[in-house]
Amino acid sequence: MVSLELLLAALSMAAPIMIAALGELLLERTGRVNLGVEGMMAFGASLSIMVTSISGSPAMGLLGGLVGGLIIALVYVAAALALKIDQIVVGLLIVFLGIGLADLLAAAGHTIAPALTPWSPTHVTVIFLTLAAPIALWILLYRTWAGVEIRAIGTDELAARERGLRVDLARTIAALAGGVAAGVAGAYMALTLYNGKYFSGLTAGWGWLAIGSVILGFWNPIGVAIAGYSIGLLILLRPYTISLGVPSYIAHSTPYIAVLIALIIVSRLARSPRWKPPKTL
Amino acid sequence: MLFLEERGRVSRLTIILGTLAGVFAGFSLAVLLTLLAGVSLASVLGSLIYTYTSSSAIASILALSGPIAGSAIGLTIAYRARFITIASEGQVIAGAIVVLWLLAYSGFKMGPLEGFILSLFLSGFVGASIGFLVALLKVKLYVNEILSSLMINYIILVVANYIIGGPFREGPFAITRSVPHEYRVSFTLIPLVTGLITLALWILMFRSKLGLAVEAYGRAPKAAETYGHDPSRIIFSVALISGFSAGVGGALMMLGFQHSMSPMSVFPGYGYMGVLVAWLSANNPLAAFVSSLFISSIAVYGRLLQASGVPLGYVLGAQALIVLSALTAVTLVKYRVRWL
Amino acid sequence: MQASRRDFLKLSGAGALGLVVGLAGGYMAWGARPPPPLQVPVEKKIKALWIYVGPIADVGWTAAHHEAKESTVRLFGGRLEAKHVEKVSEGEAKKVIETELTRERYDAVFATSYGFKYAVSELARDFKDVKFYHCSGEWEWEGFKGLPNVSTYFAEFYQLYFLNGVAAGAVTKTCKIGYVPAFLIPEVVRHINAYALGAVYGAKITGNCGAGEKLEVYVKSPLLAWFAPDKAKADAMYLVDKYDVDVLAFTEDTTAVLDVAEEYMKKGKRVYSFSHYNDMFAYYKRKGITLESHLTGQIANWTPILVYLLSKLYMGFYEKEDVWARLGDFTPVRWAGKPEESLAGKPEGSVYLAELNTKVIPPPVIAEIKRLYEEMKELLYEPFTGPIKGYKIDENGRPQEDVRVKVREGERVGRDALWYMDWFHEKIISPV
């Protein structure tokens, strides 16, 4: 039943969750959280379809998604980081704002574009980057000075400020990187998973699953990548639960139920003194 | 580097005026966006005027405000206790479905008044149960309530669609029975119910021990704990209250305008609008009551523009823009922005 | 309904009324391409409102309604003013329509989802001079009784699903075909049964799969949503990976399942699928992609129905009626033609088969599909003719009884039994 093909298909399915989760992870390591992943993904998806439709190139579309995510992340930077409005509030507002703007953009008429064919060179590149990103992030966080600074900021903001670390700069860069990642993730969903189409509600809660992955992966890049991949695998395996006699309504809720259960386990673990997550959620 | 400097004492009136200015700016921006989306100026202005002057649109505003206010007013107390649940969306849906069951499927014989009162309590109870679940996950299992409530919303959506297309299906297509006419309520009754909830919440918040405890806990959880306020009791209380209120919102939605259900491909969004309203009104129940009407009017305006090609997602986007703009304005009123 | 349509043709035959003649003339020429717009001076205008449940961009249900609306407006050449509102949820429908009707004067409202039925039933009482057309055709429903201004219409697919099944039964190599349903409501159940019956027929005539003996039809548990491309995609992949299904039919409002089939095809695994409501083969062709996995499919063209209903309204001949369009309806010639001249696989009437994949479906099977297609126009061949064995199911598709005779030898299933079908054909394995 479990074949290499299935595992690869799961990777292609999980890629957007993994990408978005890794972006969010970086921000959370600086001690800030942006709950607006879903909105940044939606706007990235919409802009990517528009760009692809006009340019004819899905690779350009991915770039469009990147810019889309970046634009919405700027709202977070301005409101939550600069003006210090409650980051939770700003994050949730960004969800609605991003989806609203995405739908409005789509209303201009570009909702269909050439798809990013699975296992085409561009797609393979994205998948490769998705696999390389957690390793790169791990090196950044644990093997560079910048990483030490980021972790210091995330663990104790005041101490970091006293030591003269550029807290706001680090957070701004991390938030923008998170936006870029979410935008690319949204673009990937529209271009690959939905064969080059944008429609309202496209992100289907996957941005939230990405945020869940950050916690499940316990704020560790490798862990987050594994968590994101597992959720993708679960989505792909969802139909299999039916043959175990599970009613359809539970089967269709599996990713959400799984995240809930995983949250319970991780939250318990987080209480034990051996673990120290950054102070975000 | 940019930083904020407090302006010293700012009066409440200034903050309210600042909020209003922000709302106005956000509203203008939202209207501008529809123009950019290619809707004609005539159509935009026509819809705006129609929204606030025609009796039909005003009836819609009042009707839609039911679930929005029901969610928002209850959330004000939850958010004061820093219990950031967004389960209101699921609570509205669940409340609506249980009311539909009571009035169209249960077979109980009731008069309109009994039916109405029973609906409110049953839906409130269902909403409170969901709130209880979220609180239980937080207090006993330490699960973050934002994520858990969201996951629960998605699960409720799937289950609701199953009930609609399965056990509740009426006739050959996936649609339920509809609420019998004698139980439906007029739009004029809706602000009355939400007004009562507002009053109850206001008393609870400013005239009860619980309100005091919530206030203390929300400001400084650690300190409140040392002064003998049991945090888990506070969290359970606000979860039950906000859940009850959002559930009642679901009943108002079903009795006021929804009447029947078909499968939902995306969330109806009233519970989420309630979340926006709670923030817009700085967690004050009275302000939430008024803001619900305003946020509801944006929904009606957006829907009018649907005929001109404006997508439905615009509604929540525009509302979020307005709230964001209002919060920005309040920050600018309270603080001076300086570059260092 | 049959009678009233004949009356309509009689009227047009009389040639007394310019517009009707013009439109009916358009009818006669209706084949692969629609007739040109009328060149008669405009004397009066009517105004109609369309309410869509989904987005126009769905390439499925709503797209089909929208295209028909647009082409009807074109055909009426300035006589019909039309407006539409998309993505209207069932709960909001009443307010949306009511607001539009109080703002502007409309002659007709087309409510294109079964979920709008309560809204239509209630508004028809308040707006007596507006004609409401409800798409889904639940003519028997109590809520429409006694309302002279409510008509119903629907394009029925069970015959086309049978023909899809014939193609599927002939081409399957694994002897396993699949179906991804949105909900297991009677409409979908009827279509799945027709598909299974057709597959047995197709296998029988080709001797494939032990002449149909070894054929299995795997029905996935319902998606619980009309619009769920992510779930539909995962379910389709599951049917292929776990059960080795090589033909996939579906009820979901996007191209998701067809896309899955095409992906397998590109990877060198033979999997076929169909068009649903809209010609998805043509849609991809316009985008410069020629699908290999597309067998044929069921397509609805609502335009002839709209033209028929609206010209009657325009001329003042409105009457309360139900249009339940099947093969042969709204075609210039309504009786069975010669199979070799059949338009099966080409646009014709209001329901028709999408392009037949002649590279994959063997020529004798194509010929048989064409013969059946023609015979179905006169109901000479009815898919639901006994003996048929099956079993009752619940809303999850779970069997509720052992296999038993559902349609007796020689018996034909009438509209009511089709309309409220709650059992699965014996070859169906469900739910998986």
Side-chain angles (χ1 to χ4, degrees):
Chain A
M1 190 175 101
V2 178
S3 60
L4 179 69
E5 205 166 327
L6 185 80
L7 294 177
L8 278 176
L11 184 59
S12 179
M13 193 81 131
I17 300 179
M18 294 165 72
I19 296 169
L22 289 167
E24 177 71 12
L25 161 77
L26 186 64
L27 177 63
E28 293 198 17
R29 281 323 286 251
T30 68
R32 279 288 172 270
V33 60
N34 180 358
L35 295 178
V37 179
E38 186 89 357
M40 300 191 291
M41 278 172 79
F43 193 68
S46 187
L47 194 61
S48 81
I49 292 300
M50 186 179 206
V51 170
T52 313
S53 158
I54 293 168
S55 71
S57 146
M60 287 299 287
L62 284 170
L63 218 61
L66 184 150
V67 173
L70 192 70
I71 292 171
I72 306 289
L74 281 172
V75 176
Y76 177 84
V77 170
L81 297 183
L83 292 177
K84 301 202 168 49
I85 300 172
D86 188 319
Q87 55 170 346
I88 302 293
V89 179
V90 173
L92 284 167
L93 287 174
I94 283 178
V95 173
F96 304 131
L97 188 66
I99 294 173
L101 290 178
D103 282 5
L104 211 55
L105 190 68
H110 295 282
T111 52
I112 297 164
L116 175 58
T117 317
W119 312 113
S120 62
T122 318
H123 181 251
V124 171
T125 313
V126 176
I127 294 292
F128 174 76
L129 290 176
T130 309
L131 290 175
I135 300 165
L137 257 180
W138 186 85
I139 294 173
L140 171 76
L141 282 175
Y142 296 102
R143 289 289 178 273
T144 66
W145 263 115
V148 174
E149 287 191 15
I150 289 170
R151 284 184 293 136
I153 293 167
T155 336
D156 193 340
E157 183 188 338
L158 279 180
R161 278 193 199 281
E162 271 163 26
R163 275 166 50 202
L165 297 183
R166 287 161 299 176
V167 175
D168 298 311
L169 184 68
R171 285 179 175 167
T172 304
I173 292 170
L176 293 178
V180 163
V184 170
Y188 180 95
M189 277 186 90
L191 288 169
T192 302
L193 300 186
Y194 297 129
N195 289 68
K197 288 185 211 69
Y198 176 82
F199 48 81
S200 185
L202 169 136
T203 44
W206 287 29
W208 293 104
L209 295 179
I211 295 174
S213 312
V214 177
I215 303 177
L216 300 191
F218 226 83
W219 294 274
N220 177 305
I222 312 291
V224 169
I226 293 170
Y229 179 78
S230 312
I231 292 175
L233 189 65
L234 255 177
I235 291 172
L236 197 68
L237 290 180
R238 176 168 52 191
Y240 287 82
T241 50
I242 297 280
S243 52
L244 306 171
V246 175
S248 54
Y249 52 94
I250 296 182
H252 289 306
S253 312
T254 29
Y256 311 117
I257 295 174
V259 169
L260 257 184
I261 294 171
L263 279 175
I264 292 170
I265 297 167
V266 174
S267 306
R268 270 221 101 87
L269 284 179
R271 301 283 296 183
S272 80
R274 288 196 303 121
W275 296 81
K276 255 205 200 128
K279 285 193 184 110
T280 48
L281 275 178
Chain B
M1 203 65 235
L2 179 140
F3 81 109
L4 302 172
E5 182 187 70
E6 255 185 278
R7 286 187 201 270
R9 226 190 78 80
V10 182
S11 78
R12 196 136 162 221
L13 185 70
T14 320
I15 291 180
I16 292 173
L17 286 178
T19 309
L20 289 178
V23 166
F24 183 75
F27 187 58
S28 314
L29 207 57
V31 171
L32 197 71
L33 271 179
T34 52
L35 284 173
L36 288 178
V39 182
S40 72
L41 184 65
S43 174
V44 165
L45 288 178
S47 301
L48 263 180
I49 294 166
Y50 190 86
T51 305
Y52 295 104
T53 54
S54 80
S55 58
S56 155
I58 289 170
S60 292
I61 293 174
L62 291 177
L64 292 194
S65 78
I68 302 174
S71 309
I73 297 163
L75 286 175
T76 56
I77 196 166
Y79 291 172
R80 271 176 190 247
R82 296 297 296 166
F83 179 66
I84 316 292
T85 171
I86 24 187
S88 49
E89 184 72 27
Q91 285 157 337
V92 167
I93 298 172
I97 286 195
V98 75
V99 164
L100 185 61
W101 170 81
L102 176 73
L103 302 177
Y105 291 87
S106 70
F108 297 147
K109 294 268 172 291
M110 301 166 279
L113 187 67
E114 293 126 280
F116 180 64
I117 292 170
L118 211 55
S119 294
L120 296 191
F121 277 97
L122 194 60
S123 57
F125 176 76
V126 168
S129 318
I130 296 166
F132 179 79
L133 180 66
V134 178
L136 192 72
L137 285 170
K138 180 177 175 80
V139 171
K140 298 286 175 209
L141 300 164
Y142 319 109
V143 178
N144 173 273
E145 72 275 17
I146 301 174
L147 280 173
S148 67
S149 59
L150 240 146
M151 294 297 128
I152 288 171
N153 284 346
Y154 279 101
I155 295 168
I156 290 174
L157 189 71
V158 172
V159 174
N161 279 345
Y162 164 75
I163 293 173
I164 292 161
F168 277 20
R169 177 170 61 80
E170 181 73 4
F173 297 99
I175 184 168
T176 65
R177 288 180 197 161
S178 73
V179 173
H181 282 270
E182 63 264 33
Y183 297 120
R184 298 184 184 181
V185 301
S186 147
F187 60 88
T188 46
L189 196 67
I190 286 169
L192 261 161
V193 176
T194 51
L196 276 176
I197 303 177
T198 309
L199 190 69
L201 258 288
W202 193 86
I203 293 171
L204 211 62
M205 205 177 276
F206 302 115
R207 295 281 180 278
S208 80
K209 268 190 187 155
L210 177 70
L212 219 65
V214 165
E215 200 58 41
Y217 179 75
R219 278 174 202 271
K222 286 268 144 54
E225 220 174 321
T226 30
Y227 281 106
H229 294 300
D230 178 5
S232 61
R233 257 190 74 182
I234 292 172
I235 289 170
F236 273 114
S237 309
V238 298
L240 290 173
I241 293 166
S242 60
F244 191 93
S245 179
V248 170
L252 294 179
M253 159 174 145
M254 187 46 82
L255 300 172
F257 61 93
Q258 182 81 23
H259 305 320
S260 68
M261 299 286 270
S262 305
M264 299 161 273
S265 57
V266 287
F267 288 108
Y270 301 112
Y272 291 140
M273 291 180 203
V275 173
L276 298 182
V277 168
W279 287 323
L280 182 60
S281 43
N283 297 332
N284 179 310
L286 196 64
F289 176 78
V290 179
S291 312
S292 301
L293 293 170
F294 172 65
I295 287 292
S296 172
S297 78
I298 307 290
V300 172
Y301 166 71
R303 187 189 289 163
L304 283 172
L305 284 178
Q306 261 189 286
S308 316
V310 171
L312 203 58
Y314 164 79
V315 169
L316 264 171
Q319 290 165 342
L321 191 63
I322 290 168
V323 177
L324 195 61
S325 159
L327 295 177
T328 306
V330 170
T331 309
L332 295 180
V333 166
K334 283 185 182 164
Y335 304 93
R336 206 167 281 129
V337 179
R338 284 273 177 88
W339 292 90
L340 201 66
Chain C
M1 184 203 96
Q2 209 64 30
S4 71
R5 198 180 306 139
R6 227 168 271 137
D7 292 346
F8 169 64
L9 282 177
K10 231 185 279 164
L11 273 171
S12 62
L17 303 152
L19 176 75
V20 179
V21 172
L23 285 166
Y27 259 54
M28 299 307 158
W30 204 296
R33 68 203 145 78
L38 278 180
Q39 300 298 325
V40 186
V42 176
E43 302 106 29
K44 71 162 183 175
K45 271 188 176 189
I46 55 171
K47 196 165 171 187
L49 173 70
W50 268 261
I51 306 291
Y52 305 138
V53 68
I56 290 167
D58 70 358
V59 202
W61 173 262
T62 295
H65 282 284
H66 185 64
E67 279 166 23
K69 181 212 110 183
E70 300 275 279
S71 58
T72 306
V73 168
R74 239 188 339 270
L75 286 168
F76 267 71
R79 285 169 190 79
L80 173 66
E81 205 182 313
K83 215 168 165 183
H84 69 266
V85 187
E86 62 172 329
K87 286 191 267 182
V88 177
S89 80
E90 279 82 354
E92 293 181 338
K94 192 181 166 204
K95 274 284 161 210
V96 171
I97 303 171
E98 194 175 20
T99 309
E100 278 300 316
L101 291 184
T102 35
R103 275 177 97 188
E104 292 171 46
R105 206 195 62 79
Y106 286 94
D107 300 285
V109 173
F110 287 85
T112 64
S113 168
Y114 62 87
F116 298 154
K117 73 177 186 180
Y118 294 113
V120 167
S121 155
E122 284 162 25
L123 289 167
R125 282 164 231 272
D126 302 341
F127 297 90
K128 291 216 165 28
D129 49 352
V130 180
K131 305 290 184 272
F132 291 85
Y133 298 90
H134 183 237
C135 184
S136 85
E138 203 183 346
W139 174 254
E140 305 86 338
W141 186 49
E142 278 303 313
F144 292 156
K145 292 261 162 73
L147 289 173
N149 54 338
V150 177
S151 288
T152 48
Y153 67 105
F154 199 50
E156 178 52 51
F157 279 159
Y158 73 88
Q159 297 160 310
L160 296 176
Y161 265 105
F162 181 87
L163 297 174
N164 288 344
V166 173
V171 305
T172 177
K173 291 244 167 77
T174 60
C175 296
K176 287 164 182 164
I177 63 172
Y179 197 104
V180 180
F183 287 92
L184 288 174
I185 57 169
E187 181 198 359
V188 178
V189 169
R190 168 168 86 237
H191 293 165
I192 296 174
N193 282 335
Y195 174 64
L197 284 164
V200 172
Y201 188 100
K204 203 173 272 173
I205 58 168
T206 48
N208 200 11
C209 305
E213 281 303 312
K214 281 185 286 178
L215 191 81
E216 288 170 322
V217 184
Y218 289 84
V219 175
K220 190 73 199 69
S221 65
L223 296 170
L224 304 181
W226 294 107
F227 187 87
D230 55 333
K231 292 179 186 172
K233 185 170 184 166
D235 282 10
M237 288 170 75
Y238 164 81
L239 285 174
V240 175
D241 291 343
K242 173 132 193 243
Y243 292 101
D244 210 12
V245 157
D246 64 355
V247 186
L248 291 164
F250 62 95
T251 304
E252 195 267 340
D253 283 349
T254 71
T255 56
V257 176
L258 183 57
D259 294 338
V260 168
E262 190 64 18
E263 267 176 43
Y264 278 110
M265 208 57 126
K266 274 194 207 132
K267 277 192 279 180
K269 190 171 168 70
R270 219 172 143 270
V271 179
Y272 297 100
S273 190
F274 304 93
S275 276
H276 182 53
Y277 271 106
N278 211 330
D279 192 337
M280 294 168 175
F281 183 76
Y283 159 77
Y284 272 112
K285 198 136 201 191
R286 282 197 298 276
K287 283 172 70 180
I289 299 163
T290 306
L291 294 180
E292 282 177 59
S293 57
H294 184 267
L295 270 186
T296 172
Q298 60 283 354
I299 293 173
N301 178 7
W302 304 96
T303 317
I305 303 177
L306 294 179
V307 167
Y308 161 72
L309 291 171
L310 282 169
S311 15
K312 277 181 84 174
L313 179 68
Y314 188 90
M315 293 311 297
F317 300 148
Y318 175 83
E319 63 185 320
K320 182 181 174 72
E321 63 183 300
D322 177 47
V323 175
W324 197 44
R326 285 183 283 186
L327 281 179
D329 289 340
F330 299 101
T331 55
V333 179
R334 293 166 188 225
W335 56 83
K338 289 182 189 135
E340 58 275 20
E341 290 167 10
S342 172
L343 284 173
K346 300 267 179 306
E348 180 183 41
S350 54
V351 292
Y352 59 89
L353 273 185
E355 180 108 1
L356 283 158
N357 190 337
T358 47
K359 278 191 208 132
V360 186
I361 309 169
V365 178
I366 298 261
E368 184 63 7
I369 288 175
K370 290 191 167 175
R371 191 184 70 79
L372 292 169
Y373 177 90
E374 292 301 324
E375 288 209 342
M376 281 173 177
K377 287 183 180 172
E378 285 186 71
L379 305 182
L380 294 173
Y381 189 87
E382 259 292 280
F384 287 97
T385 304
I388 302 172
K389 282 195 212 162
Y391 55 91
K392 195 173 153 48
I393 51 160
D394 70 359
E395 59 268 7
N396 271 312
R398 285 187 288 227
Q400 302 297 300
E401 62 180 16
D402 293 332
V403 171
R404 60 172 71 187
V405 175
K406 284 293 173 187
V407 186
R408 282 189 307 276
E409 175 95 49
E411 188 189 352
R412 271 188 186 194
V413 171
R415 184 173 181 278
D416 274 6
L418 287 172
W419 205 239
Y420 293 102
M421 197 168 272
D422 62 351
W423 50 270
F424 264 160
H425 182 263
E426 57 178 329
K427 290 287 182 200
I428 292 171
I429 297 164
S430 152
V432 293

